[in-house]
Amino acid sequence: MLGRLGRARSLVCVAMLVAGAAEGATFTVNRSDDVDDGQCDPAHCSLREAIRASEALEGRDTIDFLLEPADGRVHRIQPTAPLPTLSDPAGVEIRGPAVVDVHAEFA
């Protein structure tokens, strides 16, 4: 049986785990290319890299878009292969401009 101190430590640990699980990371897509060098960082983060980075972590993450539109209005991303599946049960929040065109044709 746990004494008062043991129960208090257990509650603190559980609270830390719940708080850590609730908070997610934010990944900012800042390139429209489909390059994946394994890092989603301020120097280069494609949509593919952001999805993979988000899937590698537990919890509800956010993917932000910070892209310059090609024609002044539409943000176009053209993947060269199917994008990874978003499968984390906590989900992913997508934020950014109103129009992001993910256009892909695969043979």
Side-chain angles (χ1 to χ4, degrees), residues 25-65:
T26 298
F27 302 98
T28 302
V29 176
N30 55 24
R31 296 289 191 268
S32 59
D33 62 36
D34 196 28
V35 174
D36 183 359
D37 64 5
Q39 297 287 339
C40 179
D41 56 41
H44 183 277
C45 186
S46 66
L47 178 56
R48 181 175 307 280
E49 290 170 320
I51 292 171
R52 287 196 174 144
S54 173
E55 285 295 301
L57 300 175
E58 291 184 17
R60 184 174 179 85
D61 298 317
T62 300
I63 295 178
D64 280 339
F65 287 89

Side-chain angles (χ1 to χ4, degrees), residues 56-90:
L57 300 175
E58 291 184 17
R60 184 174 179 85
D61 298 317
T62 300
I63 295 178
D64 280 339
F65 287 89
L66 183 61
L67 298 169
E68 290 297 321
D71 66 358
R73 297 184 328 264
V74 177
H75 304 266
R76 177 165 281 203
I77 297 173
Q78 293 184 276
T80 56
L83 291 168
T85 302
L86 292 167
S87 60
D88 189 332

